[in-house]
Amino acid sequence: DVKVTQSSRYLVKRTGEKVFLECVQDMDHENMFWYRQDPGLGLRLIYFSYDVKMKEKGDIPEGYSVSREKKERFSLILESASTNQTSMYLCASRIGTGNSPLHFGNGTRLTVT
Amino acid sequence: GENVEQHPSTLSVQEGDSAVIKCTYSDSASNYFPWYKQELGKGPQLIIDIRSNVGEKKDQRIAVTLNKTAKHFSLHITETQPEDSAVYFCAASGGGSYIPTFGRGTSLIVHP
């Protein structure tokens, strides 16, 4: 089974802090994604990566950046956390051969105070 | 870009009843339609998917139907059980980018 591991289950940070959310997958998947989940808004794509060193903006990239230095690891960075970034963050990976299902981690619930 | 509408947002049924969740999509180039189930405290997991060359697919108590002309697809769960209670998401992708667009989710509650 594919395993996607998000390093933190819960995080509490202060406004203005730099925040790192880490995600690791163990199936040598080319594609990795970061989503944000908010009640009533579903899953919104922040950034994705087709392969190592590659990154593409999703639908809501403002206030976020990403890093993919190794194939198995995809990091989401909040340069200066704000209260409106309080949310559930979901990482996913996928084999990179066109349409195929996403494999999600269990999420990181981030609270910015 | 693609737009996916999902209804209803909440669905409450009695154990043993059937449940149907519907999604519509806007991009006629979309050709892959997965459904995910998210249980409390977990990430979404694929439960069934369908591609545009197929009209219906079944897996035990769950089935998905696709109407390409009308651009809608539906998830059908028969003989619902309390463990079916979860949030269900539909998605659509294709047309070259292969980046899925998700519906807003349906919270299914199955009462024992």
Side-chain angles (χ1 to χ4, degrees):
Chain A
D1 258 0
V2 177
K3 192 164 185 184
V4 179
T5 303
Q6 295 184 230
S7 56
S8 302
R9 191 78 181 92
Y10 299 96
L11 271 181
V12 180
K13 297 292 181 180
R14 293 195 179 274
T15 301
E17 278 193 81
K18 190 169 185 176
V19 182
F20 293 86
L21 303 184
E22 306 287 348
C23 175
V24 176
Q25 51 94 3
D26 66 358
M27 281 300 291
D28 202 36
H29 283 172
E30 289 83 3
N31 301 168
M32 295 189 75
F33 304 79
W34 275 106
Y35 286 90
R36 173 175 170 161
Q37 182 176 15
D38 299 288
L41 296 179
L43 304 176
R44 294 182 292 166
L45 182 63
I46 305 171
Y47 266 96
F48 62 98
S49 169
Y50 283 118
D51 212 330
V52 181
K53 306 281 188 183
M54 299 176 70
K55 59 184 178 183
E56 299 285 343
K57 292 180 179 179
D59 299 318
I60 52 164
E62 296 78 18
Y64 304 94
S65 62
V66 290
S67 173
R68 188 142 180 230
E69 295 297 316
K70 294 186 177 182
K71 193 173 187 179
E72 67 270 19
R73 185 179 298 270
F74 192 34
S75 303
L76 180 68
I77 304 156
L78 287 66
E79 295 290 341
S80 177
S82 63
T83 55
N84 63 11
Q85 293 178 310
T86 291
S87 187
M88 171 68 83
Y89 291 88
L90 290 165
C91 175
S93 72
R94 180 183 72 180
I95 194 166
T97 54
N99 283 323
S100 57
L102 301 186
H103 299 265
F104 285 89
N106 284 331
T108 296
R109 181 162 295 281
L110 173 67
T111 301
V112 183
T113 61
Chain B
E2 176 65 278
N3 182 49
V4 176
E5 300 279 344
Q6 182 172 347
H7 298 281
S9 57
T10 305
L11 180 58
S12 184
V13 300
Q14 290 295 129
E15 183 176 358
D17 287 350
S18 294
V20 181
I21 303 170
K22 298 181 180 180
C23 288
T24 60
Y25 62 99
S26 61
D27 188 351
S28 56
S30 289
N31 55 16
Y32 177 62
F33 307 92
W35 285 89
Y36 294 86
K37 176 184 181 182
Q38 185 178 27
E39 297 176 340
L40 201 61
K42 296 187 178 181
Q45 281 196 302
L46 179 79
I47 54 171
I48 195 166
D49 56 8
I50 192 168
R51 299 183 189 272
S52 60
N53 57 348
V54 175
E56 183 176 2
K57 185 176 178 181
K58 288 183 180 179
D59 183 2
Q60 299 183 349
R61 293 186 300 108
I62 61 172
V64 56
T65 58
L66 171 65
N67 184 325
K68 285 175 57 182
T69 304
K71 288 191 279 189
H72 67 71
F73 57 111
S74 300
L75 177 71
H76 304 254
I77 305 174
T78 58
E79 300 172 22
T80 53
Q81 301 168 3
E83 51 265 38
D84 294 329
S85 295
V87 177
Y88 291 80
F89 291 97
C90 65
S93 63
S97 73
Y98 306 120
I99 301 302
T101 298
F102 285 84
R104 294 192 174 192
T106 296
S107 178
L108 173 64
I109 302 163
V110 181
H111 299 280

